[in-house]
Amino acid sequence: MTPETGRRASRTSKSWISRWDPEDETFWNGEGRPIARRNLWASIASEHIGFSVWSIWSVLVLFMIPENGFSATPEQKFLLLSVVTFVGAILRVPYTLAVPAFGGRNWTLVSTALLLLPTIAAFFLIQNPDTPFWLLVVLAATAGLGGGNFSSSMANINAYFPEKEKGWALGLNAGGGNIGVATVQLVGLGVISLFATSAGYLVPLFYLPLILLALVWSWRSMNNLTQVRSDVRGQMAATGDRHFWIMSLLYIGTFGSFIGTGFAFGLLLQAQFGLAPVQAAGIAVLGPIIGSLIRPVGGRLADSLGGARVTLWVFCAMALCAGVLVLAVQASQLGLFIGAFAVMFTLTGLGNGSTYKMIPSIYAAKAEDAIAAGEPREEALARTKRISSSMLGLIGAVGALGGVGINVGFRESFAAFGTTAHAFAAFGLFYLICATVTWGVYLRRPRTDAVDAPSTAVETANR
């Protein structure tokens, strides 16, 4: 089946073979790789802008201070971030299913254009401190549109690369998007440093031309793969598989921690340690940069060492790091707090890459199980590849809910105890649970009886 191409690609469509198959090494080493990479870079650009818009309020809350006419409390600000995170997580479900329904290129254009809405809303809201808080939350929640971009982008790019390169490609795509959390914080830091905390409206204004540029790039460089067709019933049926929920739990621990702490880091420095906006922004930008840049390394490590092994090590280290954060908060040690947070961001980035490598491995193993049971090879591979792409997006949606939990945890801990130490203790316990699940399902020596035989292939694929 021939990929439908955009305006630029149509000029070279004669060079495309009749079937897109990245597992065919001859095709992949000849025409496939440059086509896949062209789509990957455009996808990264669009997803990067989406992440920046999704996390824009993590910066703008630093401008919401009494000197600028705002009266929002730290608890209200954590609530605002929780709502934005929640909307972004929920939208990941329809965004994932939109790729096979409308095409990767088509949906990238639509989803990128939609980013204009929250950006314009933020431009006006940050200039109007008298806006009722409920209305501020409702309008700011449109920034969640940027959160949906991740799932559709990952579902689209997954279809372009062969199994042996998925860890690196997906890690690069996700890492390039994730770093948008850091980019918007750099923009905020630049605005505070060059102008003043009253110039917050310049942050969303900065992104308006970038959204238009991403639209042009996607229009000229991306393609629609006709073989990635809609199979909503089959895709949603896969959510009944235990591995879907297990991987969702693990992704809550890795990506949920990254996005939740990425949104909250600056506000934590401001509320917990009393730092000024310029100080908080200058420090907070480092965490998302570290977590984003290290994500492709997590994918690469998973390619060579096994996704489950890397994920287990990550969760054990995250639990230890959470304990250090508890001590840092209780002792009011800012240096220790910042250092431990830098390590935490590194670990979440590695875990993001390793868990996302595990997902296609699971469904590749399921395809082999189906082939062994008598299903035609081509049919089994095509079906599981479609489901795998959708699972990447759907698991990403569930995982993003972890970011909501992180910010709600901070809000409740701060409101009840005046400190976030209790929240970090709860997070550490959750990471230990995730480590135990990873070991018990994917690393513990599997039983060899006939009943467990189909799942053994899946578990072996993640070693």
Side-chain angles (χ1 to χ4, degrees):
M1 282 173 264
T2 305
E4 300 171 6
T5 62
R7 179 174 297 178
R8 176 179 173 182
S10 64
R11 295 195 293 266
T12 60
S13 59
K14 291 182 180 179
S15 66
W16 289 56
I17 63 174
S18 60
R19 182 185 300 275
W20 177 265
D21 184 7
E23 301 298 342
D24 182 335
E25 291 192 11
T26 301
F27 169 65
W28 176 250
N29 292 326
E31 297 177 88
R33 180 179 279 113
I35 294 170
R37 288 182 174 176
R38 173 164 48 78
N39 279 268
L40 174 62
W41 293 121
S43 175
I44 289 174
S46 177
E47 187 188 339
H48 178 90
I49 300 299
F51 258 95
S52 295
V53 172
W54 189 22
S55 53
I56 198 168
W57 282 98
S58 69
V59 174
L60 295 183
V61 293
L62 302 179
F63 291 85
M64 295 170 58
I65 56 178
E67 292 84 344
N68 295 336
F70 289 93
S71 58
T73 65
E75 291 87 348
Q76 287 178 314
K77 293 178 182 179
F78 279 123
L79 176 62
L80 172 62
L81 297 182
S82 298
V83 172
V84 174
T85 310
F86 178 77
V87 173
I90 295 300
L91 286 178
R92 288 185 168 198
V93 175
Y95 270 57
T96 297
L97 301 178
V99 170
F102 301 104
R105 172 180 177 268
N106 295 343
W107 185 249
T108 300
L109 291 171
V110 172
S111 61
T112 303
L114 286 173
L115 297 177
L116 292 169
L117 174 61
T119 307
I120 293 172
F123 173 78
F124 287 105
L125 287 172
I126 200 63
Q127 297 182 76
N128 292 277
D130 295 329
T131 303
F133 182 72
W134 69 267
L135 182 58
L136 173 67
V137 171
V138 169
L139 295 178
T142 60
L145 289 166
N149 284 27
F150 172 84
S151 287
S152 56
S153 177
M154 295 295 276
N156 181 42
I157 292 303
N158 180 62
Y160 278 94
F161 286 84
E163 190 66 34
K164 64 181 180 180
E165 296 187 30
K166 283 187 189 296
W168 176 249
L170 293 175
L172 194 62
N173 188 55
N178 290 172
I179 205 170
V181 180
T183 302
V184 72
Q185 292 178 351
L186 279 173
V187 173
L189 176 62
V191 169
I192 295 174
S193 301
L194 296 176
F195 301 96
T197 57
S198 59
Y201 64 91
L202 293 177
V203 177
L205 186 63
F206 175 84
Y207 278 95
L208 288 174
L210 296 182
I211 294 171
L212 298 177
L213 180 62
L215 274 171
V216 173
W217 192 347
S218 300
W219 175 266
R220 293 180 59 85
S221 299
M222 296 191 75
N223 310 111
N224 297 315
L225 289 178
T226 58
Q227 70 185 62
V228 186
R229 62 182 184 275
S230 181
D231 182 18
V232 176
R233 179 176 297 180
Q235 293 158 354
M236 297 308 294
T239 61
D241 184 273
R242 70 173 183 134
H243 292 286
F244 170 80
W245 295 106
I246 293 170
M247 293 307 304
S248 293
L249 175 72
L250 301 185
Y251 203 57
I252 285 174
T254 56
F255 179 76
S257 296
F258 169 80
I259 197 65
T261 52
F263 275 32
F265 193 20
L267 184 54
L268 284 171
L269 293 169
Q270 194 177 57
Q272 185 73 67
F273 291 93
L275 269 62
V278 65
Q279 295 173 309
I283 297 171
V285 68
L286 299 177
I289 288 177
I290 295 170
S292 301
L293 293 180
I294 204 71
R295 179 165 183 158
V297 178
R300 182 71 84 185
L301 286 174
D303 283 340
S304 58
L305 302 177
R309 288 191 179 91
V310 176
T311 301
L312 175 63
W313 300 337
V314 163
F315 277 126
C316 290
M318 287 175 68
L320 179 61
C321 194
V324 175
L325 286 167
V326 171
L327 296 176
V329 170
Q330 291 180 329
S332 297
Q333 292 292 322
L334 178 61
L336 181 61
F337 183 83
I338 294 172
F341 239 111
V343 174
M344 182 66 83
F345 275 111
T346 301
L347 294 170
T348 59
L350 291 172
N352 287 340
S354 64
T355 51
Y356 248 57
K357 165 59 180 176
M358 291 172 69
I359 299 167
S361 296
I362 287 171
Y363 287 94
K366 282 183 172 292
E368 295 302 323
D369 288 339
I371 293 168
E375 184 175 352
R377 182 176 183 83
E378 184 176 337
E379 181 180 329
L381 292 175
R383 176 178 55 79
T384 54
K385 181 172 289 188
R386 292 197 304 272
I387 295 175
S388 172
S389 294
S390 294
M391 290 304 99
L392 285 169
L394 295 176
I395 289 172
V398 180
L401 291 173
V404 181
I406 290 286
N407 280 284
V408 169
F410 286 144
R411 179 185 183 278
E412 295 304 314
S413 182
F414 200 92
F417 306 103
T419 175
T420 53
H422 299 79
F424 285 119
F427 302 155
L429 178 60
F430 178 72
Y431 299 146
L432 288 176
I433 293 173
C434 290
T436 302
V437 170
T438 303
W439 174 82
V441 176
Y442 298 115
L443 289 171
R444 180 174 57 88
R445 183 179 298 277
R447 292 163 54 191
T448 57
D449 56 273
V451 174
D452 282 353
S455 63
T456 300
V458 172
E459 291 157 359
T460 301
N462 289 286
R463 291 176 179 275

